[in-house]
Amino acid sequence: MEQQNNMHVVHIGGRRGLGPASRLCKCMKGYVDITIVEAFLEENEEEIFSGVKEKGNYRFINSCVWSKKENRNFYVTQQIMASSLFPMAKSSANHVFESKGTCKKWIDHCTTHKILSVETVAFDDICFHSSPNFLSMDIQGAEFEVMKGALQSL
């Protein structure tokens, strides 16, 4: 019997779910190896990945990914999933979104309440077991910086 090579999905910013990568994982059921890169900061792994229910072989990496290794501020927001290596842009502050049938202002849920110092790592410096076939990111505007640090891997 011929051995099936699994697809390698990398998702950066995997707090409580896989975002767009989740559909791919559901379609591929048992044929996907998933690497989730997320800064654990103050929570434990179970709390962060409570929304990851897709089947597959998981590997969790505790890192903040950036274009290079350096110390940066990490802006922790009230809505933890909106936390970022960037402070919230003033232009986003008055953005209105709908949640459970109610209109809410972004600033009411995503203001920075804590700034932590973190050490970042370049995507190319993360040791993956195989080259990624699919890369998904939910990292609040830091995607370009990550891509600058992924030139060898991708």
Side-chain angles (χ1 to χ4, degrees):
M1 185 173 186
E2 192 175 311
Q3 183 178 353
Q4 173 72 37
N5 289 329
N6 285 0
M7 176 178 243
H8 184 200
V9 173
V10 174
H11 182 71
I12 302 172
R15 192 174 299 272
R16 297 189 181 94
L18 291 176
S22 65
R23 285 195 176 134
L24 177 64
C25 295
K26 287 176 185 175
C27 293
M28 299 289 291
K29 290 189 180 172
Y31 299 105
V32 179
D33 292 325
I34 303 163
T35 302
I36 300 174
V37 184
E38 177 65 73
F40 295 1
L41 302 176
E42 298 171 335
E43 307 96 337
N44 64 40
E45 186 176 313
E46 286 179 23
E47 181 182 344
I48 289 176
F49 301 113
S50 61
V52 178
K53 297 183 172 101
E54 297 81 6
K55 300 284 182 214
N57 302 313
Y58 291 97
R59 177 177 176 223
F60 299 104
I61 298 176
N62 180 7
S63 289
C64 280
V65 185
W66 194 247
S67 55
K68 60 187 174 189
K69 181 178 180 176
E70 66 181 12
N71 287 319
R72 293 192 55 84
N73 286 336
F74 188 87
Y75 300 88
V76 181
T77 59
Q78 293 166 333
Q79 179 66 36
I80 195 71
M81 292 179 283
S83 298
S84 176
L85 289 166
F86 289 121
M88 185 172 62
K90 291 180 181 179
S91 60
S92 300
N94 290 319
H95 176 73
V96 176
F97 66 98
E98 187 176 334
S99 175
K100 299 180 184 176
T102 306
C103 287
K104 300 179 179 183
K105 278 193 173 182
W106 189 251
I107 196 167
D108 295 337
H109 297 277
C110 299
T111 54
T112 300
H113 74 92
K114 190 184 314 181
I115 300 173
L116 302 174
S117 179
V118 297
E119 185 174 44
T120 62
V121 62
F123 188 89
D124 284 336
D125 293 336
I126 297 173
C127 183
F128 294 111
H129 64 277
S130 64
S131 295
N133 300 102
F134 184 87
L135 174 61
S136 173
M137 294 184 271
D138 184 4
I139 51 178
Q140 317 313 326
E143 292 83 358
F144 182 67
E145 287 296 328
V146 169
M147 295 304 288
K148 289 193 313 190
L151 299 177
Q152 294 173 12
S153 300
L154 301 178

